[in-house]
Amino acid sequence: MSTQTKSFKTEVSQLLDLVIHSLYSNKDIFLRELISNASDAIDRARFEAVANTDIQEPEGGWKVKLIADKEAKTLQIVDNGIGMNAEELETNIGTIANSGTKAFLKQLSEADAKDRPELIGQFGVGFYASFMVAGKVELITRRAGEDKAWKWVSEGDGTYEVSEAERENFGTTITLHLHENEDATDYTQEYKLREIVKQYSDYIAFPVVMDVTRKEKDEEASEEGEDPVYKDITSEETLNSMQAIWTRNKSDIEDEEYNAFYKGAFHDYEDPSKVIHWAAEGTTEFKGLLFFPKKAPFDLFYNEDAKGLHLYVKRVFIMNDCKELLPSYLRFVKGVVDSSDLSLNVSREILQNNPLVRRIGKNVTSKVLSTLKTMQDKEPEAYAEFWTEFGRVIKEGMHTDHANKDKISHLLQFESSKTEAGKTISLKEYVNRMQPDQKEIYFLSGESRQVVENSPLLEAFESRNLEVLFLTDTIDEWVIPALDTYDEKPLKAINRGGVDLDSEDEKKEKEEAKKQAEETYKPVLDALKESLKDQVKDVRLSDRLTDSSSVLVADDSGIDANMERMMKAMGQVIPETKRTLELNPGHAVMEKLKAMVEADASDERIAEYGELLFDQALLTEGTPLPNPAAFAKRVSKLMASV
Ligand code: ADP
């Protein structure tokens, strides 16, 4: 057959035109595309070799070879894969069958001209990417199992030529005649090729090799006492590590291998605390290899976008930090997802709205959540360590991932009035050890364990052996409303509204006692209401105190001390809200006050005692006193008077 000149299909011409005439943000990807094609071709040859004994593994093994010629300014990509016959050449290179490429073209034609370079940079354009770096591309290919070879040549100008050719073995050789303008990257440089292969094709399962020449001392030619004589030694070096560890069988992989891969790929000095390796099958097929780091990075809360998942398609690197694969609250997870369904030509834009990617993301999220649950159940100590590092981010999910809210609620851990400092329990554990007639889950929020632990509000709960969760994390204030109930038990803040702890009989009894106490102390309450009217909304008797004399409580809907502190920290304007001062009718100070009011209602000490009770309530909940000097003065005066 003589040489035939043919025209590209319109869409190919369109594509080539764009590839050649637009500016590219990243030309290096041409090599990724060609190596990926070569690797696919080898995959297919290996597959056919299983059934067809005429096809055998080539001497030297399956591989992709790069041959750079500095003088000629050419770069060759040679593979010993399946190759193409004339027909295949015609349909594969010359038309666009790939739907990804078609979609790409459509998007390009719709995009603003100024956006095009970026778009091209983000897309893989397959074989045609060659024309980003080469003015002329030659391809010689011979299909495995056939004798004839074919040559395809094009200068990307709308036409290509096909002719019969010679090739010793099956496979494909692509020769790129590289552009020569001054600012063009030199793709014949060894370091450049190494760099690109390392970045984009490191995990390709076949060796990507290159002949490398090094100077070595020539022992024979070198004379003793003279300067050594050097000779050039050329050897074939493999540029990629080929460690597509996630494609291997889990049972064949040692922990050390996982750890080494993790540390290398994700730049950590420590081993991961958990490795998850699985193959998803069914509606979407992909391999996932995920890691939980041991320590939280310093910017976990500043850099909410940083996601550690790398996306591969059939072992070809597509992108770092693929946002669509992990929700923000799981941003600490590192790893790799390798899809066999996605097309190599995916862009960030396509990823955003791709149902396949969404499905993968869902699957990854469930896998992480179920692994955490198993860890919590089976390895409580490891989970506790994990929780200390990453619990806060997980809590964000209560607000952001409605679909998984229930699953996340089981993962939550809190300290409580019955745990040692630093130890946490799950809500399930809490519920399991609730008192027989306890109906609510009690919690108290505050700045630190020390503050909540010493809160007078706990007294009534402790005397009844009721456990109270300590919410000392800033984000808890947002988590709890998202939760509302757990296991059908409402969550109840013990520093808000009334807390109902008594049985019916007890209530009746208390009601009586309270009525009496209210009568007894009415003059005291009235006097303090008047003197503290600028600070508090109301002054009343408390039924939640046993030892302490006073406490401040918020309305069910009001802002409590902890929230106020957080809002201030965030620089928010806080509406002025007054809380209610509750006094302990069983405390001796009440008797004293009563005596004072009865003796002389205008006694100055009454108001001073009121101030002191208010300040004490502030102090015990961890709120700084508005006027500490005045407080100190009052205390000293009181000390001197007894
Ligand atoms: P894609 O790889 O996304 O399908 P390309 O334009 O890169 O798109 O390639 C088109 C087709 O050409 C491939 O699907 C494959 O069938 C064929 N092809 C490309 N390169 C090679 C190669 N090195 N060996 C064998 N076939 C190849």
PDB file of all heavy atoms in Angstrom, residues 552-571:
ATOM      1  N   LEU A 552     -25.884  31.094  88.503  1.00  0.00           N
ATOM      2  CA  LEU A 552     -26.604  31.838  87.476  1.00  0.00           C
ATOM      3  C   LEU A 552     -27.138  30.855  86.447  1.00  0.00           C
ATOM      4  O   LEU A 552     -26.423  29.956  86.013  1.00  0.00           O
ATOM      5  CB  LEU A 552     -25.664  32.836  86.788  1.00  0.00           C
ATOM      6  CG  LEU A 552     -25.422  34.136  87.553  1.00  0.00           C
ATOM      7  CD1 LEU A 552     -24.161  34.825  87.058  1.00  0.00           C
ATOM      8  CD2 LEU A 552     -26.636  35.057  87.441  1.00  0.00           C
ATOM      9  N   VAL A 553     -28.375  31.012  86.040  1.00  0.00           N
ATOM     10  CA  VAL A 553     -28.927  30.116  85.021  1.00  0.00           C
ATOM     11  C   VAL A 553     -29.544  30.932  83.884  1.00  0.00           C
ATOM     12  O   VAL A 553     -30.004  32.050  84.086  1.00  0.00           O
ATOM     13  CB  VAL A 553     -29.989  29.130  85.589  1.00  0.00           C
ATOM     14  CG1 VAL A 553     -29.369  28.171  86.574  1.00  0.00           C
ATOM     15  CG2 VAL A 553     -31.141  29.878  86.220  1.00  0.00           C
ATOM     16  N   ALA A 554     -29.515  30.289  82.684  1.00  0.00           N
ATOM     17  CA  ALA A 554     -30.083  30.955  81.509  1.00  0.00           C
ATOM     18  C   ALA A 554     -31.474  30.409  81.249  1.00  0.00           C
ATOM     19  O   ALA A 554     -31.835  29.335  81.725  1.00  0.00           O
ATOM     20  CB  ALA A 554     -29.193  30.695  80.296  1.00  0.00           C
ATOM     21  N   ASP A 555     -32.225  31.131  80.438  1.00  0.00           N
ATOM     22  CA  ASP A 555     -33.525  30.609  79.990  1.00  0.00           C
ATOM     23  C   ASP A 555     -33.273  29.465  79.034  1.00  0.00           C
ATOM     24  O   ASP A 555     -32.189  29.322  78.501  1.00  0.00           O
ATOM     25  CB  ASP A 555     -34.284  31.676  79.187  1.00  0.00           C
ATOM     26  CG  ASP A 555     -34.716  32.814  80.070  1.00  0.00           C
ATOM     27  OD1 ASP A 555     -34.662  32.639  81.303  1.00  0.00           O
ATOM     28  OD2 ASP A 555     -35.076  33.863  79.508  1.00  0.00           O
ATOM     29  N   ASP A 556     -34.311  28.696  78.734  1.00  0.00           N
ATOM     30  CA  ASP A 556     -34.154  27.619  77.781  1.00  0.00           C
ATOM     31  C   ASP A 556     -33.621  28.115  76.443  1.00  0.00           C
ATOM     32  O   ASP A 556     -32.871  27.449  75.767  1.00  0.00           O
ATOM     33  CB  ASP A 556     -35.478  26.879  77.574  1.00  0.00           C
ATOM     34  CG  ASP A 556     -35.588  25.748  78.584  1.00  0.00           C
ATOM     35  OD1 ASP A 556     -34.523  25.222  78.967  1.00  0.00           O
ATOM     36  OD2 ASP A 556     -36.715  25.428  79.002  1.00  0.00           O
ATOM     37  N   SER A 557     -34.029  29.332  76.072  1.00  0.00           N
ATOM     38  CA  SER A 557     -33.611  29.818  74.766  1.00  0.00           C
ATOM     39  C   SER A 557     -32.516  30.876  74.861  1.00  0.00           C
ATOM     40  O   SER A 557     -31.988  31.323  73.868  1.00  0.00           O
ATOM     41  CB  SER A 557     -34.817  30.419  74.049  1.00  0.00           C
ATOM     42  OG  SER A 557     -35.341  31.436  74.870  1.00  0.00           O
ATOM     43  N   GLY A 558     -32.152  31.249  76.071  1.00  0.00           N
ATOM     44  CA  GLY A 558     -31.200  32.351  76.241  1.00  0.00           C
ATOM     45  C   GLY A 558     -29.766  31.950  75.960  1.00  0.00           C
ATOM     46  O   GLY A 558     -29.469  30.814  75.638  1.00  0.00           O
ATOM     47  N   ILE A 559     -28.897  32.927  76.088  1.00  0.00           N
ATOM     48  CA  ILE A 559     -27.472  32.684  75.849  1.00  0.00           C
ATOM     49  C   ILE A 559     -26.836  32.339  77.177  1.00  0.00           C
ATOM     50  O   ILE A 559     -26.953  33.084  78.143  1.00  0.00           O
ATOM     51  CB  ILE A 559     -26.815  33.944  75.252  1.00  0.00           C
ATOM     52  CG1 ILE A 559     -27.441  34.240  73.889  1.00  0.00           C
ATOM     53  CG2 ILE A 559     -25.312  33.769  75.136  1.00  0.00           C
ATOM     54  CD1 ILE A 559     -26.903  35.492  73.248  1.00  0.00           C
ATOM     55  N   ASP A 560     -26.153  31.197  77.259  1.00  0.00           N
ATOM     56  CA  ASP A 560     -25.516  30.856  78.526  1.00  0.00           C
ATOM     57  C   ASP A 560     -24.075  31.375  78.530  1.00  0.00           C
ATOM     58  O   ASP A 560     -23.583  31.920  77.546  1.00  0.00           O
ATOM     59  CB  ASP A 560     -25.624  29.360  78.839  1.00  0.00           C
ATOM     60  CG  ASP A 560     -24.794  28.509  77.900  1.00  0.00           C
ATOM     61  OD1 ASP A 560     -23.937  29.066  77.203  1.00  0.00           O
ATOM     62  OD2 ASP A 560     -25.028  27.287  77.867  1.00  0.00           O
ATOM     63  N   ALA A 561     -23.416  31.160  79.669  1.00  0.00           N
ATOM     64  CA  ALA A 561     -22.091  31.758  79.850  1.00  0.00           C
ATOM     65  C   ALA A 561     -21.103  31.288  78.791  1.00  0.00           C
ATOM     66  O   ALA A 561     -20.315  32.061  78.255  1.00  0.00           O
ATOM     67  CB  ALA A 561     -21.573  31.409  81.240  1.00  0.00           C
ATOM     68  N   ASN A 562     -21.155  29.998  78.466  1.00  0.00           N
ATOM     69  CA  ASN A 562     -20.189  29.444  77.530  1.00  0.00           C
ATOM     70  C   ASN A 562     -20.376  30.018  76.128  1.00  0.00           C
ATOM     71  O   ASN A 562     -19.429  30.374  75.439  1.00  0.00           O
ATOM     72  CB  ASN A 562     -20.340  27.927  77.501  1.00  0.00           C
ATOM     73  CG  ASN A 562     -19.107  27.260  76.947  1.00  0.00           C
ATOM     74  OD1 ASN A 562     -17.990  27.666  77.270  1.00  0.00           O
ATOM     75  ND2 ASN A 562     -19.311  26.274  76.107  1.00  0.00           N
ATOM     76  N   MET A 563     -21.636  30.126  75.736  1.00  0.00           N
ATOM     77  CA  MET A 563     -21.926  30.672  74.417  1.00  0.00           C
ATOM     78  C   MET A 563     -21.476  32.122  74.340  1.00  0.00           C
ATOM     79  O   MET A 563     -20.917  32.557  73.343  1.00  0.00           O
ATOM     80  CB  MET A 563     -23.427  30.609  74.161  1.00  0.00           C
ATOM     81  CG  MET A 563     -23.768  29.816  72.947  1.00  0.00           C
ATOM     82  SD  MET A 563     -25.539  29.883  72.716  1.00  0.00           S
ATOM     83  CE  MET A 563     -25.735  28.391  71.795  1.00  0.00           C
ATOM     84  N   GLU A 564     -21.721  32.836  75.420  1.00  0.00           N
ATOM     85  CA  GLU A 564     -21.351  34.244  75.449  1.00  0.00           C
ATOM     86  C   GLU A 564     -19.838  34.387  75.280  1.00  0.00           C
ATOM     87  O   GLU A 564     -19.354  35.202  74.510  1.00  0.00           O
ATOM     88  CB  GLU A 564     -21.794  34.840  76.790  1.00  0.00           C
ATOM     89  CG  GLU A 564     -21.623  36.338  76.847  1.00  0.00           C
ATOM     90  CD  GLU A 564     -22.189  36.918  78.133  1.00  0.00           C
ATOM     91  OE1 GLU A 564     -23.334  36.581  78.481  1.00  0.00           O
ATOM     92  OE2 GLU A 564     -21.471  37.680  78.797  1.00  0.00           O
ATOM     93  N   ARG A 565     -19.119  33.509  75.955  1.00  0.00           N
ATOM     94  CA  ARG A 565     -17.658  33.548  75.891  1.00  0.00           C
ATOM     95  C   ARG A 565     -17.191  33.303  74.447  1.00  0.00           C
ATOM     96  O   ARG A 565     -16.327  33.991  73.923  1.00  0.00           O
ATOM     97  CB  ARG A 565     -17.103  32.448  76.817  1.00  0.00           C
ATOM     98  CG  ARG A 565     -15.612  32.387  76.917  1.00  0.00           C
ATOM     99  CD  ARG A 565     -15.185  31.361  77.959  1.00  0.00           C
ATOM    100  NE  ARG A 565     -15.726  30.022  77.716  1.00  0.00           N
ATOM    101  CZ  ARG A 565     -15.224  29.173  76.843  1.00  0.00           C
ATOM    102  NH1 ARG A 565     -14.191  29.510  76.124  1.00  0.00           N
ATOM    103  NH2 ARG A 565     -15.779  27.982  76.671  1.00  0.00           N
ATOM    104  N   MET A 566     -17.813  32.305  73.795  1.00  0.00           N
ATOM    105  CA  MET A 566     -17.416  31.977  72.437  1.00  0.00           C
ATOM    106  C   MET A 566     -17.754  33.084  71.454  1.00  0.00           C
ATOM    107  O   MET A 566     -16.984  33.404  70.572  1.00  0.00           O
ATOM    108  CB  MET A 566     -18.094  30.690  71.995  1.00  0.00           C
ATOM    109  CG  MET A 566     -17.381  29.510  72.574  1.00  0.00           C
ATOM    110  SD  MET A 566     -18.168  27.963  72.249  1.00  0.00           S
ATOM    111  CE  MET A 566     -19.694  28.372  71.619  1.00  0.00           C
ATOM    112  N   MET A 567     -18.940  33.634  71.643  1.00  0.00           N
ATOM    113  CA  MET A 567     -19.346  34.703  70.722  1.00  0.00           C
ATOM    114  C   MET A 567     -18.424  35.903  70.857  1.00  0.00           C
ATOM    115  O   MET A 567     -18.043  36.521  69.870  1.00  0.00           O
ATOM    116  CB  MET A 567     -20.805  35.090  70.964  1.00  0.00           C
ATOM    117  CG  MET A 567     -21.751  33.998  70.465  1.00  0.00           C
ATOM    118  SD  MET A 567     -23.438  34.205  71.038  1.00  0.00           S
ATOM    119  CE  MET A 567     -24.023  35.491  69.977  1.00  0.00           C
ATOM    120  N   LYS A 568     -18.016  36.164  72.087  1.00  0.00           N
ATOM    121  CA  LYS A 568     -17.081  37.275  72.303  1.00  0.00           C
ATOM    122  C   LYS A 568     -15.770  36.973  71.595  1.00  0.00           C
ATOM    123  O   LYS A 568     -15.191  37.835  70.938  1.00  0.00           O
ATOM    124  CB  LYS A 568     -16.820  37.460  73.803  1.00  0.00           C
ATOM    125  CG  LYS A 568     -17.776  38.438  74.428  1.00  0.00           C
ATOM    126  CD  LYS A 568     -17.276  38.832  75.814  1.00  0.00           C
ATOM    127  CE  LYS A 568     -18.354  39.575  76.562  1.00  0.00           C
ATOM    128  NZ  LYS A 568     -18.378  39.276  77.974  1.00  0.00           N
ATOM    129  N   ALA A 569     -15.330  35.714  71.746  1.00  0.00           N
ATOM    130  CA  ALA A 569     -14.059  35.321  71.130  1.00  0.00           C
ATOM    131  C   ALA A 569     -14.115  35.476  69.617  1.00  0.00           C
ATOM    132  O   ALA A 569     -13.130  35.762  68.970  1.00  0.00           O
ATOM    133  CB  ALA A 569     -13.722  33.880  71.502  1.00  0.00           C
ATOM    134  N   MET A 570     -15.285  35.279  69.039  1.00  0.00           N
ATOM    135  CA  MET A 570     -15.406  35.390  67.587  1.00  0.00           C
ATOM    136  C   MET A 570     -15.679  36.827  67.154  1.00  0.00           C
ATOM    137  O   MET A 570     -15.940  37.101  65.995  1.00  0.00           O
ATOM    138  CB  MET A 570     -16.542  34.494  67.083  1.00  0.00           C
ATOM    139  CG  MET A 570     -16.210  33.013  67.250  1.00  0.00           C
ATOM    140  SD  MET A 570     -17.434  31.950  66.465  1.00  0.00           S
ATOM    141  CE  MET A 570     -18.896  32.399  67.328  1.00  0.00           C
ATOM    142  N   GLY A 571     -15.671  37.710  68.130  1.00  0.00           N
ATOM    143  CA  GLY A 571     -15.853  39.118  67.806  1.00  0.00           C
ATOM    144  C   GLY A 571     -17.289  39.475  67.480  1.00  0.00           C
ATOM    145  O   GLY A 571     -17.552  40.474  66.821  1.00  0.00           O
TER     146      GLY A 571
END
